[in-house]
Amino acid sequence: MELGAMPELKKYMKRVMPFVAMIKENLEKNGPRVLDLELEFDERAVLLENIVYLTNSLELDQIDMVFASEADDKVKEDCCPGKPFCVFRSEPGVSVSMLNPQPASGLFSTKIEIRHGDSKDSIIRRLSRVNRGIKDLSKVKLMRFEDPVLGPRRIPILGKEEEGKLAISDSSVFHISLEKSTVQMSDNGLKMDIGDTLVYLVQ
């Protein structure tokens, strides 16, 4: 009755009784600490500390963590301490060929989507989900052709798989144009086209 008299709870009255029943049950089971308004630990800090594990084990490209107060009404309604609310989304991308020129490696050429803001690591992670032959991501070297137009058309020379190619650094950031279906990469203030093919080597 007290909760029903609160104007801010009027529209939530259907949920009040189940909420009260849940709190009562938790109180009997776990004691008065269930009435605490804050958790005993910093939930956000724990999630951020484990974000790499969560990203990899859930096979996601990226996890953005925000407070419920910064989200829309649906999240504000359903999110509560100890029970984070997940929203999944798919970002548009531009398809690029991933070429592996190593002979007898058992690794195949494939296509993956490059998304705006991608880094070298995010591309390698996405590649490893498509190509299960890649076990150790730290051994993957990502490269681009010096000449993005002619480079992919040249026949690779045995033992010279890196010739005519440049390594992509950790600081590189990828940019896409969905209208033109093109991919550019920026590094140290320089922007360059990468064409429609990247090269990966497993060392």
Side-chain angles (χ1 to χ4, degrees):
M1 285 173 69
E2 282 182 33
L3 293 171
M6 295 180 181
E8 66 269 26
L9 293 181
K10 285 271 191 234
K11 63 178 180 180
Y12 302 114
M13 281 316 293
K14 283 184 184 173
R15 299 182 183 191
V16 167
M17 277 315 292
F19 172 74
V20 170
M22 180 197 73
I23 292 295
K24 187 180 174 192
E25 188 184 323
N26 282 347
L27 184 65
E28 289 166 358
K29 225 187 265 181
N30 303 309
R33 70 185 179 89
V34 300
L35 299 174
D36 291 346
L37 297 178
E38 291 182 5
L39 294 174
E40 296 169 337
F41 61 94
D42 185 337
E43 183 179 15
R44 187 170 188 269
V46 170
L47 290 170
L48 286 172
E49 196 176 302
N50 293 284
I51 201 158
V52 173
Y53 166 75
L54 290 169
T55 306
N56 293 339
S57 60
L58 295 171
E59 296 191 352
L60 301 172
D61 284 335
Q62 183 179 333
I63 294 178
D64 300 320
M65 208 163 303
V66 295
F67 289 107
S69 57
E70 299 168 31
D72 60 28
D73 289 341
K74 169 70 176 162
V75 175
K76 284 178 186 173
E77 270 185 39
D78 293 346
C79 189
C80 64
K83 293 183 180 176
F85 188 87
C86 298
V87 177
F88 295 96
R89 68 180 189 273
S90 178
E91 298 284 342
V94 173
S95 186
V96 166
S97 294
M98 301 296 291
L99 180 70
N100 180 264
Q102 294 170 286
S105 69
L107 296 165
F108 299 102
S109 297
T110 187
K111 280 186 176 281
I112 67 163
E113 285 202 338
I114 305 288
R115 299 191 177 110
H116 193 71
D118 267 341
S119 64
K120 179 184 87 169
D121 287 344
S122 63
I123 291 172
I124 291 172
R125 273 201 313 273
R126 199 171 301 131
L127 174 66
S128 72
R129 287 203 292 274
V130 175
N131 192 334
R132 296 293 181 176
I134 299 170
K135 303 295 181 199
D136 186 349
L137 303 191
S138 66
K139 291 186 175 175
V140 178
K141 186 173 187 179
L142 195 61
M143 307 186 82
R144 65 180 178 87
F145 286 99
E146 285 184 86
D147 185 333
V149 178
L150 292 178
R153 288 157 181 76
R154 292 196 178 109
I155 297 169
I157 301 165
L158 190 64
K160 296 183 177 178
E161 287 82 14
E162 295 191 26
E163 196 172 276
K165 301 166 193 80
L166 299 168
I168 292 172
S169 73
D170 292 335
S171 60
S172 297
V173 179
F174 289 81
H175 313 274
I176 64 166
S177 167
L178 291 171
E179 298 79 31
K180 298 176 185 173
S181 287
T182 57
V183 181
Q184 287 190 316
M185 187 187 81
S186 61
D187 196 358
N188 293 323
L190 295 171
K191 231 177 193 182
M192 60 219 79
D193 288 317
I194 66 147
D196 60 4
T197 307
L198 288 174
V199 173
Y200 73 99
L201 305 173
V202 179
Q203 300 164 323

